[in-house]
Amino acid sequence: MVDRLSEVFSALADPTRRAILARLAEGEATVNQIAEPFPISLQAVSKHLKVLERAGLITRGIQAQWRPCRLDAAPLRGVAEWVTEYQRFWEERYDELGTYLTKIQKEN
């Protein structure tokens, strides 16, 4: 069983899917509108959308004849929380490096 964070990271691993999310951050769009800037088939875009939907990053509505896609950024909160843990780690390491460099400068 794949956990939600792994699904989100897997979905974000592809640059086309990240570009689709960036487009949807501007507002909802149909599959045809999403596909316009990409040099890939409509079927390929649909497959990318299914991956994003499975990861919970997009939702699809139903309005008359079309099904607009919308960004659902909630799963990105888990990614942000995970990254924050490592951000603290690196900030501590940078502080240690700064202290070490200051010490070396004083010795010279």
Side-chain angles (χ1 to χ4, degrees), residues 50-94:
K50 285 178 184 173
V51 171
L52 292 169
E53 192 170 21
R54 236 183 350 263
L57 292 165
I58 68 166
T59 59
R60 295 187 197 206
I62 298 176
Q63 293 180 356
Q65 299 293 341
W66 58 294
R67 295 186 52 160
C69 298
R70 292 180 194 88
L71 174 66
D72 182 354
L76 295 175
R77 183 172 293 125
V79 171
E81 290 169 358
W82 185 84
V83 169
T84 297
E85 291 300 315
Y86 290 92
Q87 180 181 357
R88 284 187 222 136
F89 169 82
W90 285 110
E91 286 173 355
E92 289 172 8
R93 295 297 180 262
Y94 289 137

mmCIF file of all heavy atoms in Angstrom, residues 50-94:
data_model
loop_
_atom_site.group_PDB
_atom_site.id
_atom_site.type_symbol
_atom_site.label_atom_id
_atom_site.label_comp_id
_atom_site.label_asym_id
_atom_site.label_seq_id
_atom_site.Cartn_x
_atom_site.Cartn_y
_atom_site.Cartn_z
ATOM 1 N N LYS A 50 -5.217 11.789 -14.381
ATOM 2 C CA LYS A 50 -5.627 10.674 -13.522
ATOM 3 C C LYS A 50 -4.633 10.467 -12.379
ATOM 4 O O LYS A 50 -5.021 10.193 -11.246
ATOM 5 C CB LYS A 50 -5.776 9.401 -14.347
ATOM 6 C CG LYS A 50 -7.024 9.394 -15.192
ATOM 7 C CD LYS A 50 -7.137 8.147 -16.030
ATOM 8 C CE LYS A 50 -8.362 8.264 -16.934
ATOM 9 N NZ LYS A 50 -8.459 7.173 -17.882
ATOM 10 N N VAL A 51 -3.340 10.608 -12.680
ATOM 11 C CA VAL A 51 -2.319 10.479 -11.637
ATOM 12 C C VAL A 51 -2.502 11.580 -10.599
ATOM 13 O O VAL A 51 -2.465 11.335 -9.389
ATOM 14 C CB VAL A 51 -0.893 10.528 -12.244
ATOM 15 C CG1 VAL A 51 0.164 10.621 -11.154
ATOM 16 C CG2 VAL A 51 -0.654 9.326 -13.131
ATOM 17 N N LEU A 52 -2.727 12.811 -11.057
ATOM 18 C CA LEU A 52 -2.929 13.939 -10.137
ATOM 19 C C LEU A 52 -4.199 13.752 -9.314
ATOM 20 O O LEU A 52 -4.219 14.057 -8.117
ATOM 21 C CB LEU A 52 -2.983 15.254 -10.921
ATOM 22 C CG LEU A 52 -1.675 15.677 -11.579
ATOM 23 C CD1 LEU A 52 -1.917 16.845 -12.535
ATOM 24 C CD2 LEU A 52 -0.633 16.038 -10.535
ATOM 25 N N GLU A 53 -5.225 13.226 -9.941
ATOM 26 C CA GLU A 53 -6.488 12.993 -9.226
ATOM 27 C C GLU A 53 -6.320 11.895 -8.178
ATOM 28 O O GLU A 53 -6.798 12.020 -7.047
ATOM 29 C CB GLU A 53 -7.579 12.621 -10.235
ATOM 30 C CG GLU A 53 -8.965 12.635 -9.653
ATOM 31 C CD GLU A 53 -10.040 12.492 -10.731
ATOM 32 O OE1 GLU A 53 -9.752 11.993 -11.839
ATOM 33 O OE2 GLU A 53 -11.181 12.876 -10.435
ATOM 34 N N ARG A 54 -5.618 10.819 -8.530
ATOM 35 C CA ARG A 54 -5.367 9.737 -7.573
ATOM 36 C C ARG A 54 -4.571 10.230 -6.363
ATOM 37 O O ARG A 54 -4.784 9.780 -5.248
ATOM 38 C CB ARG A 54 -4.591 8.604 -8.266
ATOM 39 C CG ARG A 54 -5.243 7.281 -8.186
ATOM 40 C CD ARG A 54 -4.485 6.120 -8.782
ATOM 41 N NE ARG A 54 -3.311 6.373 -9.573
ATOM 42 C CZ ARG A 54 -3.279 6.430 -10.905
ATOM 43 N NH1 ARG A 54 -4.375 6.273 -11.591
ATOM 44 N NH2 ARG A 54 -2.154 6.640 -11.540
ATOM 45 N N ALA A 55 -3.662 11.172 -6.595
ATOM 46 C CA ALA A 55 -2.860 11.734 -5.510
ATOM 47 C C ALA A 55 -3.641 12.773 -4.712
ATOM 48 O O ALA A 55 -3.147 13.282 -3.702
ATOM 49 C CB ALA A 55 -1.576 12.357 -6.065
ATOM 50 N N GLY A 56 -4.845 13.091 -5.162
ATOM 51 C CA GLY A 56 -5.682 14.061 -4.455
ATOM 52 C C GLY A 56 -5.329 15.506 -4.748
ATOM 53 O O GLY A 56 -5.796 16.409 -4.062
ATOM 54 N N LEU A 57 -4.520 15.735 -5.790
ATOM 55 C CA LEU A 57 -4.072 17.095 -6.102
ATOM 56 C C LEU A 57 -5.032 17.868 -6.994
ATOM 57 O O LEU A 57 -4.929 19.086 -7.097
ATOM 58 C CB LEU A 57 -2.684 17.053 -6.752
ATOM 59 C CG LEU A 57 -1.578 16.594 -5.806
ATOM 60 C CD1 LEU A 57 -0.320 16.230 -6.572
ATOM 61 C CD2 LEU A 57 -1.299 17.677 -4.773
ATOM 62 N N ILE A 58 -5.934 17.162 -7.658
ATOM 63 C CA ILE A 58 -6.957 17.840 -8.458
ATOM 64 C C ILE A 58 -8.299 17.165 -8.219
ATOM 65 O O ILE A 58 -8.372 16.011 -7.797
ATOM 66 C CB ILE A 58 -6.647 17.852 -9.972
ATOM 67 C CG1 ILE A 58 -6.731 16.441 -10.568
ATOM 68 C CG2 ILE A 58 -5.319 18.523 -10.267
ATOM 69 C CD1 ILE A 58 -6.778 16.421 -12.080
ATOM 70 N N THR A 59 -9.345 17.916 -8.497
ATOM 71 C CA THR A 59 -10.699 17.372 -8.500
ATOM 72 C C THR A 59 -11.320 17.717 -9.835
ATOM 73 O O THR A 59 -10.900 18.668 -10.501
ATOM 74 C CB THR A 59 -11.563 17.951 -7.364
ATOM 75 O OG1 THR A 59 -11.629 19.375 -7.510
ATOM 76 C CG2 THR A 59 -10.994 17.606 -6.001
ATOM 77 N N ARG A 60 -12.301 16.948 -10.218
ATOM 78 C CA ARG A 60 -13.008 17.217 -11.469
ATOM 79 C C ARG A 60 -14.474 17.439 -11.152
ATOM 80 O O ARG A 60 -15.107 16.631 -10.474
ATOM 81 C CB ARG A 60 -12.867 16.049 -12.435
ATOM 82 C CG ARG A 60 -11.449 15.834 -12.893
ATOM 83 C CD ARG A 60 -11.439 14.795 -13.966
ATOM 84 N NE ARG A 60 -10.105 14.267 -14.162
ATOM 85 C CZ ARG A 60 -9.694 13.744 -15.294
ATOM 86 N NH1 ARG A 60 -10.502 13.668 -16.318
ATOM 87 N NH2 ARG A 60 -8.487 13.267 -15.403
ATOM 88 N N GLY A 61 -14.982 18.534 -11.648
ATOM 89 C CA GLY A 61 -16.384 18.859 -11.443
ATOM 90 C C GLY A 61 -17.204 18.455 -12.655
ATOM 91 O O GLY A 61 -16.676 17.979 -13.646
ATOM 92 N N ILE A 62 -18.495 18.679 -12.549
ATOM 93 C CA ILE A 62 -19.380 18.424 -13.685
ATOM 94 C C ILE A 62 -20.256 19.651 -13.851
ATOM 95 O O ILE A 62 -20.999 20.024 -12.950
ATOM 96 C CB ILE A 62 -20.261 17.182 -13.457
ATOM 97 C CG1 ILE A 62 -19.391 15.943 -13.310
ATOM 98 C CG2 ILE A 62 -21.255 17.012 -14.601
ATOM 99 C CD1 ILE A 62 -20.164 14.680 -12.990
ATOM 100 N N GLN A 63 -20.092 20.305 -14.994
ATOM 101 C CA GLN A 63 -20.913 21.474 -15.313
ATOM 102 C C GLN A 63 -21.411 21.327 -16.740
ATOM 103 O O GLN A 63 -20.641 21.493 -17.690
ATOM 104 C CB GLN A 63 -20.099 22.766 -15.176
ATOM 105 C CG GLN A 63 -19.691 23.072 -13.755
ATOM 106 C CD GLN A 63 -18.890 24.353 -13.651
ATOM 107 O OE1 GLN A 63 -18.566 24.985 -14.652
ATOM 108 N NE2 GLN A 63 -18.559 24.743 -12.437
ATOM 109 N N ALA A 64 -22.665 21.016 -16.879
ATOM 110 C CA ALA A 64 -23.296 20.808 -18.188
ATOM 111 C C ALA A 64 -22.504 19.765 -18.981
ATOM 112 O O ALA A 64 -22.374 18.641 -18.550
ATOM 113 C CB ALA A 64 -23.417 22.121 -18.937
ATOM 114 N N GLN A 65 -21.927 20.164 -20.117
ATOM 115 C CA GLN A 65 -21.229 19.234 -20.996
ATOM 116 C C GLN A 65 -19.745 19.065 -20.689
ATOM 117 O O GLN A 65 -19.078 18.265 -21.306
ATOM 118 C CB GLN A 65 -21.380 19.701 -22.455
ATOM 119 C CG GLN A 65 -22.798 19.751 -22.939
ATOM 120 C CD GLN A 65 -23.425 18.368 -23.047
ATOM 121 O OE1 GLN A 65 -22.725 17.365 -23.097
ATOM 122 N NE2 GLN A 65 -24.743 18.307 -23.050
ATOM 123 N N TRP A 66 -19.215 19.839 -19.777
ATOM 124 C CA TRP A 66 -17.772 19.755 -19.537
ATOM 125 C C TRP A 66 -17.452 19.480 -18.087
ATOM 126 O O TRP A 66 -18.262 19.714 -17.208
ATOM 127 C CB TRP A 66 -17.056 20.997 -20.061
ATOM 128 C CG TRP A 66 -17.533 22.293 -19.478
ATOM 129 C CD1 TRP A 66 -18.747 22.874 -19.636
ATOM 130 C CD2 TRP A 66 -16.802 23.156 -18.625
ATOM 131 N NE1 TRP A 66 -18.816 24.041 -18.940
ATOM 132 C CE2 TRP A 66 -17.628 24.257 -18.310
ATOM 133 C CE3 TRP A 66 -15.518 23.123 -18.096
ATOM 134 C CZ2 TRP A 66 -17.213 25.293 -17.495
ATOM 135 C CZ3 TRP A 66 -15.106 24.169 -17.291
ATOM 136 C CH2 TRP A 66 -15.957 25.234 -17.006
ATOM 137 N N ARG A 67 -16.257 18.944 -17.873
ATOM 138 C CA ARG A 67 -15.807 18.563 -16.527
ATOM 139 C C ARG A 67 -14.542 19.355 -16.199
ATOM 140 O O ARG A 67 -13.439 18.907 -16.497
ATOM 141 C CB ARG A 67 -15.522 17.069 -16.476
ATOM 142 C CG ARG A 67 -16.767 16.228 -16.675
ATOM 143 C CD ARG A 67 -16.455 14.792 -16.479
ATOM 144 N NE ARG A 67 -15.777 14.626 -15.197
ATOM 145 C CZ ARG A 67 -15.684 13.502 -14.545
ATOM 146 N NH1 ARG A 67 -16.187 12.420 -15.044
ATOM 147 N NH2 ARG A 67 -15.047 13.426 -13.395
ATOM 148 N N PRO A 68 -14.700 20.514 -15.598
ATOM 149 C CA PRO A 68 -13.509 21.314 -15.290
ATOM 150 C C PRO A 68 -12.653 20.665 -14.199
ATOM 151 O O PRO A 68 -13.171 20.014 -13.286
ATOM 152 C CB PRO A 68 -14.090 22.635 -14.799
ATOM 153 C CG PRO A 68 -15.442 22.287 -14.271
ATOM 154 C CD PRO A 68 -15.926 21.144 -15.122
ATOM 155 N N CYS A 69 -11.351 20.833 -14.332
ATOM 156 C CA CYS A 69 -10.409 20.346 -13.331
ATOM 157 C C CYS A 69 -10.048 21.513 -12.419
ATOM 158 O O CYS A 69 -9.915 22.652 -12.866
ATOM 159 C CB CYS A 69 -9.140 19.828 -14.008
ATOM 160 S SG CYS A 69 -9.427 18.430 -15.097
ATOM 161 N N ARG A 70 -9.888 21.213 -11.139
ATOM 162 C CA ARG A 70 -9.524 22.231 -10.151
ATOM 163 C C ARG A 70 -8.368 21.728 -9.308
ATOM 164 O O ARG A 70 -8.287 20.538 -8.995
ATOM 165 C CB ARG A 70 -10.688 22.505 -9.208
ATOM 166 C CG ARG A 70 -11.869 23.164 -9.836
ATOM 167 C CD ARG A 70 -12.989 23.384 -8.797
ATOM 168 N NE ARG A 70 -14.218 23.713 -9.472
ATOM 169 C CZ ARG A 70 -15.109 22.831 -9.913
ATOM 170 N NH1 ARG A 70 -14.916 21.552 -9.737
ATOM 171 N NH2 ARG A 70 -16.203 23.227 -10.520
ATOM 172 N N LEU A 71 -7.500 22.632 -8.934
ATOM 173 C CA LEU A 71 -6.408 22.303 -8.031
ATOM 174 C C LEU A 71 -6.968 22.075 -6.636
ATOM 175 O O LEU A 71 -7.835 22.818 -6.172
ATOM 176 C CB LEU A 71 -5.400 23.461 -7.997
ATOM 177 C CG LEU A 71 -4.257 23.346 -6.992
ATOM 178 C CD1 LEU A 71 -3.343 22.192 -7.358
ATOM 179 C CD2 LEU A 71 -3.475 24.646 -6.944
ATOM 180 N N ASP A 72 -6.483 21.047 -5.971
ATOM 181 C CA ASP A 72 -6.780 20.819 -4.555
ATOM 182 C C ASP A 72 -5.424 20.750 -3.861
ATOM 183 O O ASP A 72 -4.749 19.723 -3.892
ATOM 184 C CB ASP A 72 -7.558 19.528 -4.353
ATOM 185 C CG ASP A 72 -7.936 19.291 -2.896
ATOM 186 O OD1 ASP A 72 -7.497 20.074 -2.021
ATOM 187 O OD2 ASP A 72 -8.663 18.324 -2.629
ATOM 188 N N ALA A 73 -5.001 21.846 -3.280
ATOM 189 C CA ALA A 73 -3.656 21.950 -2.719
ATOM 190 C C ALA A 73 -3.507 21.315 -1.341
ATOM 191 O O ALA A 73 -2.404 21.268 -0.809
ATOM 192 C CB ALA A 73 -3.236 23.423 -2.668
ATOM 193 N N ALA A 74 -4.573 20.801 -0.772
ATOM 194 C CA ALA A 74 -4.501 20.239 0.584
ATOM 195 C C ALA A 74 -3.412 19.178 0.750
ATOM 196 O O ALA A 74 -2.688 19.197 1.740
ATOM 197 C CB ALA A 74 -5.863 19.692 1.000
ATOM 198 N N PRO A 75 -3.243 18.240 -0.203
ATOM 199 C CA PRO A 75 -2.180 17.244 -0.027
ATOM 200 C C PRO A 75 -0.772 17.847 0.004
ATOM 201 O O PRO A 75 0.159 17.240 0.526
ATOM 202 C CB PRO A 75 -2.336 16.320 -1.238
ATOM 203 C CG PRO A 75 -3.762 16.469 -1.632
ATOM 204 C CD PRO A 75 -4.090 17.912 -1.343
ATOM 205 N N LEU A 76 -0.617 19.036 -0.532
ATOM 206 C CA LEU A 76 0.695 19.687 -0.512
ATOM 207 C C LEU A 76 1.092 20.111 0.899
ATOM 208 O O LEU A 76 2.274 20.302 1.183
ATOM 209 C CB LEU A 76 0.714 20.887 -1.458
ATOM 210 C CG LEU A 76 0.544 20.534 -2.939
ATOM 211 C CD1 LEU A 76 0.445 21.801 -3.772
ATOM 212 C CD2 LEU A 76 1.666 19.646 -3.419
ATOM 213 N N ARG A 77 0.115 20.208 1.783
ATOM 214 C CA ARG A 77 0.415 20.546 3.181
ATOM 215 C C ARG A 77 1.304 19.467 3.803
ATOM 216 O O ARG A 77 2.255 19.755 4.520
ATOM 217 C CB ARG A 77 -0.874 20.718 3.983
ATOM 218 C CG ARG A 77 -0.601 21.134 5.434
ATOM 219 C CD ARG A 77 -1.873 21.498 6.180
ATOM 220 N NE ARG A 77 -2.425 22.711 5.588
ATOM 221 C CZ ARG A 77 -3.673 22.809 5.126
ATOM 222 N NH1 ARG A 77 -4.499 21.802 5.191
ATOM 223 N NH2 ARG A 77 -4.111 23.937 4.607
ATOM 224 N N GLY A 78 1.012 18.205 3.512
ATOM 225 C CA GLY A 78 1.832 17.103 4.006
ATOM 226 C C GLY A 78 3.253 17.176 3.479
ATOM 227 O O GLY A 78 4.217 16.914 4.202
ATOM 228 N N VAL A 79 3.394 17.560 2.229
ATOM 229 C CA VAL A 79 4.728 17.731 1.636
ATOM 230 C C VAL A 79 5.457 18.862 2.351
ATOM 231 O O VAL A 79 6.633 18.726 2.707
ATOM 232 C CB VAL A 79 4.616 18.024 0.121
ATOM 233 C CG1 VAL A 79 5.967 18.410 -0.457
ATOM 234 C CG2 VAL A 79 4.030 16.826 -0.613
ATOM 235 N N ALA A 80 4.770 19.966 2.566
ATOM 236 C CA ALA A 80 5.390 21.116 3.240
ATOM 237 C C ALA A 80 5.842 20.757 4.651
ATOM 238 O O ALA A 80 6.929 21.142 5.082
ATOM 239 C CB ALA A 80 4.423 22.294 3.270
ATOM 240 N N GLU A 81 5.025 19.998 5.360
ATOM 241 C CA GLU A 81 5.384 19.584 6.727
ATOM 242 C C GLU A 81 6.603 18.673 6.704
ATOM 243 O O GLU A 81 7.497 18.798 7.540
ATOM 244 C CB GLU A 81 4.197 18.890 7.399
ATOM 245 C CG GLU A 81 3.066 19.850 7.723
ATOM 246 C CD GLU A 81 1.785 19.142 8.137
ATOM 247 O OE1 GLU A 81 1.748 17.889 8.141
ATOM 248 O OE2 GLU A 81 0.808 19.853 8.442
ATOM 249 N N TRP A 82 6.656 17.766 5.743
ATOM 250 C CA TRP A 82 7.786 16.857 5.627
ATOM 251 C C TRP A 82 9.070 17.635 5.311
ATOM 252 O O TRP A 82 10.108 17.400 5.914
ATOM 253 C CB TRP A 82 7.495 15.820 4.539
ATOM 254 C CG TRP A 82 8.530 14.766 4.411
ATOM 255 C CD1 TRP A 82 8.630 13.627 5.149
ATOM 256 C CD2 TRP A 82 9.620 14.745 3.496
ATOM 257 N NE1 TRP A 82 9.719 12.901 4.737
ATOM 258 C CE2 TRP A 82 10.342 13.561 3.724
ATOM 259 C CE3 TRP A 82 10.055 15.609 2.499
ATOM 260 C CZ2 TRP A 82 11.474 13.224 2.995
ATOM 261 C CZ3 TRP A 82 11.185 15.279 1.769
ATOM 262 C CH2 TRP A 82 11.880 14.098 2.029
ATOM 263 N N VAL A 83 8.973 18.577 4.390
ATOM 264 C CA VAL A 83 10.133 19.383 4.006
ATOM 265 C C VAL A 83 10.588 20.260 5.167
ATOM 266 O O VAL A 83 11.790 20.462 5.370
ATOM 267 C CB VAL A 83 9.804 20.240 2.758
ATOM 268 C CG1 VAL A 83 10.871 21.279 2.499
ATOM 269 C CG2 VAL A 83 9.627 19.340 1.541
ATOM 270 N N THR A 84 9.662 20.762 5.966
ATOM 271 C CA THR A 84 9.996 21.630 7.096
ATOM 272 C C THR A 84 10.930 20.929 8.075
ATOM 273 O O THR A 84 11.848 21.552 8.619
ATOM 274 C CB THR A 84 8.712 22.094 7.810
ATOM 275 O OG1 THR A 84 7.947 22.864 6.887
ATOM 276 C CG2 THR A 84 9.022 22.936 9.029
ATOM 277 N N GLU A 85 10.717 19.641 8.288
ATOM 278 C CA GLU A 85 11.607 18.889 9.186
ATOM 279 C C GLU A 85 13.044 18.936 8.686
ATOM 280 O O GLU A 85 13.981 19.107 9.457
ATOM 281 C CB GLU A 85 11.139 17.443 9.321
ATOM 282 C CG GLU A 85 9.837 17.298 10.066
ATOM 283 C CD GLU A 85 9.910 17.841 11.487
ATOM 284 O OE1 GLU A 85 10.894 17.563 12.190
ATOM 285 O OE2 GLU A 85 8.972 18.569 11.874
ATOM 286 N N TYR A 86 13.233 18.790 7.397
ATOM 287 C CA TYR A 86 14.582 18.810 6.830
ATOM 288 C C TYR A 86 15.123 20.234 6.737
ATOM 289 O O TYR A 86 16.330 20.447 6.808
ATOM 290 C CB TYR A 86 14.599 18.104 5.477
ATOM 291 C CG TYR A 86 14.412 16.628 5.677
ATOM 292 C CD1 TYR A 86 13.147 16.065 5.639
ATOM 293 C CD2 TYR A 86 15.484 15.818 5.988
ATOM 294 C CE1 TYR A 86 12.963 14.721 5.879
ATOM 295 C CE2 TYR A 86 15.315 14.472 6.225
ATOM 296 C CZ TYR A 86 14.053 13.924 6.170
ATOM 297 O OH TYR A 86 13.874 12.590 6.420
ATOM 298 N N GLN A 87 14.253 21.191 6.610
ATOM 299 C CA GLN A 87 14.686 22.593 6.606
ATOM 300 C C GLN A 87 15.351 22.931 7.937
ATOM 301 O O GLN A 87 16.406 23.550 7.971
ATOM 302 C CB GLN A 87 13.492 23.516 6.359
ATOM 303 C CG GLN A 87 13.858 24.981 6.345
ATOM 304 C CD GLN A 87 12.640 25.861 6.132
ATOM 305 O OE1 GLN A 87 11.522 25.400 5.943
ATOM 306 N NE2 GLN A 87 12.860 27.149 6.168
ATOM 307 N N ARG A 88 14.744 22.485 9.033
ATOM 308 C CA ARG A 88 15.348 22.713 10.349
ATOM 309 C C ARG A 88 16.722 22.058 10.447
ATOM 310 O O ARG A 88 17.656 22.632 10.984
ATOM 311 C CB ARG A 88 14.434 22.169 11.455
ATOM 312 C CG ARG A 88 13.252 23.066 11.714
ATOM 313 C CD ARG A 88 12.467 22.580 12.927
ATOM 314 N NE ARG A 88 11.073 22.695 12.570
ATOM 315 C CZ ARG A 88 10.146 21.798 12.796
ATOM 316 N NH1 ARG A 88 10.427 20.697 13.432
ATOM 317 N NH2 ARG A 88 8.915 21.993 12.418
ATOM 318 N N PHE A 89 16.828 20.844 9.923
ATOM 319 C CA PHE A 89 18.095 20.131 9.926
ATOM 320 C C PHE A 89 19.173 20.952 9.216
ATOM 321 O O PHE A 89 20.264 21.144 9.744
ATOM 322 C CB PHE A 89 17.921 18.763 9.249
ATOM 323 C CG PHE A 89 19.207 18.052 8.974
ATOM 324 C CD1 PHE A 89 19.830 17.329 9.970
ATOM 325 C CD2 PHE A 89 19.784 18.099 7.715
ATOM 326 C CE1 PHE A 89 21.027 16.652 9.715
ATOM 327 C CE2 PHE A 89 20.979 17.438 7.452
ATOM 328 C CZ PHE A 89 21.597 16.721 8.456
ATOM 329 N N TRP A 90 18.861 21.435 8.010
ATOM 330 C CA TRP A 90 19.857 22.185 7.246
ATOM 331 C C TRP A 90 20.161 23.543 7.870
ATOM 332 O O TRP A 90 21.309 24.003 7.831
ATOM 333 C CB TRP A 90 19.422 22.334 5.792
ATOM 334 C CG TRP A 90 19.603 21.033 5.078
ATOM 335 C CD1 TRP A 90 18.627 20.193 4.628
ATOM 336 C CD2 TRP A 90 20.844 20.380 4.797
ATOM 337 N NE1 TRP A 90 19.187 19.073 4.080
ATOM 338 C CE2 TRP A 90 20.549 19.158 4.166
ATOM 339 C CE3 TRP A 90 22.174 20.714 5.016
ATOM 340 C CZ2 TRP A 90 21.536 18.269 3.749
ATOM 341 C CZ3 TRP A 90 23.158 19.822 4.591
ATOM 342 C CH2 TRP A 90 22.838 18.628 3.972
ATOM 343 N N GLU A 91 19.175 24.187 8.450
ATOM 344 C CA GLU A 91 19.430 25.458 9.122
ATOM 345 C C GLU A 91 20.405 25.271 10.284
ATOM 346 O O GLU A 91 21.301 26.086 10.490
ATOM 347 C CB GLU A 91 18.119 26.085 9.604
ATOM 348 C CG GLU A 91 17.300 26.674 8.473
ATOM 349 C CD GLU A 91 15.926 27.148 8.911
ATOM 350 O OE1 GLU A 91 15.541 26.948 10.089
ATOM 351 O OE2 GLU A 91 15.216 27.710 8.061
ATOM 352 N N GLU A 92 20.236 24.174 11.030
ATOM 353 C CA GLU A 92 21.167 23.885 12.125
ATOM 354 C C GLU A 92 22.568 23.645 11.587
ATOM 355 O O GLU A 92 23.557 24.117 12.156
ATOM 356 C CB GLU A 92 20.696 22.661 12.919
ATOM 357 C CG GLU A 92 19.463 22.915 13.750
ATOM 358 C CD GLU A 92 18.903 21.650 14.375
ATOM 359 O OE1 GLU A 92 19.563 20.583 14.285
ATOM 360 O OE2 GLU A 92 17.798 21.723 14.941
ATOM 361 N N ARG A 93 22.670 22.930 10.470
ATOM 362 C CA ARG A 93 23.980 22.659 9.874
ATOM 363 C C ARG A 93 24.629 23.957 9.368
ATOM 364 O O ARG A 93 25.828 24.146 9.522
ATOM 365 C CB ARG A 93 23.868 21.658 8.719
ATOM 366 C CG ARG A 93 23.412 20.289 9.138
ATOM 367 C CD ARG A 93 24.428 19.640 10.099
ATOM 368 N NE ARG A 93 24.011 18.335 10.510
ATOM 369 C CZ ARG A 93 23.402 18.060 11.648
ATOM 370 N NH1 ARG A 93 23.106 19.003 12.501
ATOM 371 N NH2 ARG A 93 23.063 16.830 11.954
ATOM 372 N N TYR A 94 23.852 24.826 8.776
ATOM 373 C CA TYR A 94 24.386 26.115 8.308
ATOM 374 C C TYR A 94 24.865 26.961 9.480
ATOM 375 O O TYR A 94 25.896 27.635 9.397
ATOM 376 C CB TYR A 94 23.342 26.884 7.494
ATOM 377 C CG TYR A 94 23.061 26.279 6.133
ATOM 378 C CD1 TYR A 94 21.768 26.179 5.659
ATOM 379 C CD2 TYR A 94 24.090 25.802 5.328
ATOM 380 C CE1 TYR A 94 21.503 25.612 4.418
ATOM 381 C CE2 TYR A 94 23.827 25.242 4.083
ATOM 382 C CZ TYR A 94 22.542 25.153 3.635
ATOM 383 O OH TYR A 94 22.272 24.606 2.411
#
